[in-house]
Amino acid sequence: MTVGQIKTDPFSAVKISEFRNLVIGRFIFIMGLRMMSTLVGWWIYNLTNAPIAIGIVGLSEFIPAVSFALYAGHVIDLSEKRKLLLRGVSLYLTAAVILLFLSTSFTSRHLHNHIIAICIYSVIFCTGIIRSFAGPVFNVILAQVVPKSVLQNATTWNQGAWLSASVSGHATGGFLIAMLGNTGTFTVIVILISISLFVLFQLKPKPALNERGEQKTWDSVKEGLSFVFRTKELLGAISLDLFAVLFGGAAALVPVYARDILKVGPQGFGFLNGASDIGSICIVVALTFFPIRRKQGKKLLLAVAGFGTCIIIFGLSKLFLLSFVALMISGMLDGISVVTRGTIMQLKTPDAMRGRVMSVNSMFINSSNELGQFESGVAAKLLGVVPSVVFGGCMTWLVVAVTWFKAPSLRKMEY
């Protein structure tokens, strides 16, 4: 098979057995983690009866994940990747087992609800540290299990699997809580992470590719940051995603629109909440079979501009169907952005620096999602709900315009 044939085959990456093990293992793992996050949010609210407690759960994981990100990148580049990945998944499994124990009737009889809540926060804080290592290493290994000729196809499959696992994990978690209760659901989560660990164990060792292992930690971190800021295509793609999500975080206000503006109730909220994910999955599947062939950088910028337009339409809409379509198309455009940005990062990053670059990206992405929700809430308080969403869409346009002129290498990039 020639390189040209490999690039046009939508199943070229899937035909590589080690890639299949990586994607299947990650799918099961992410599904388990999404079920865990859904259950923990439900559980902590029932323990405390305080909505802010749910926000504290997110903060408990966000702070260590971002704080350790740069150091984690240094460690990843100096480590044997398979061992580090298996260690991270094993520690997640340990955390799930601890939460399983905390959810049992034995614990509830002997500990006060607030003590259990503190224990949950402590476990989630630890998973934030684990996440700073385990999250980037999945993407680092991706480039080591497939040849460069199929990296674009592999990235698309990888993103599709992640999105599918995320959506199905959240949905399945809700059903299992109703059917099996907290302890039963945690049991399923432990089983899923155990299966994931078994599948990922089939990967071959991935030795460190960084030949400068004698570097001091801070010098290594600075080298990674310097590479990102020096490589305009990378910096432009990461910054574009950071600010687009920061200002275009309309998803945080979907509950307000569903109840107070569109007046569609819980069922309508469910549809609106899933609209963006549905769009993302559809476009990732489409890109697997019909990848973007030319002018990927320019199309990335146009996709983000279109995302901002959809946010503005959603903000102004008073019709449920129009709002749903706007969110679904925004998810499709976001899917294009995610796949294109992921491919640019994989292609532009040297093997010896993948851990540090992926960790910088992880830090930016984690920040944008959390801060985007915060920004949406503050803007809604200061400007009102509808003006804040429209403002976010307009700011997304501004970000695209600045990137268009300030990062011409990204605009002109093709792969």
Side-chain angles (χ1 to χ4, degrees), residues 17-36:
S17 61
E18 196 170 22
F19 175 75
R20 289 199 302 271
N21 287 333
L22 177 65
V23 170
I24 292 171
R26 191 186 191 197
F27 178 90
I28 299 170
F29 176 65
I30 294 299
M31 187 174 179
L33 292 193
R34 290 299 174 266
M35 289 170 60
M36 185 189 295

Side-chain angles (χ1 to χ4, degrees), residues 27-28 30-32 34-35 38 160-176 192 277 281:
F27 178 90
I28 299 170
I30 294 299
M31 187 174 179
R34 290 299 174 266
M35 289 170 60
T38 300
W162 187 91
L163 281 168
S164 301
S166 182
V167 174
S168 57
H170 279 305
T172 306
F175 284 118
L176 288 179
L192 285 174
D277 289 330
I281 292 173

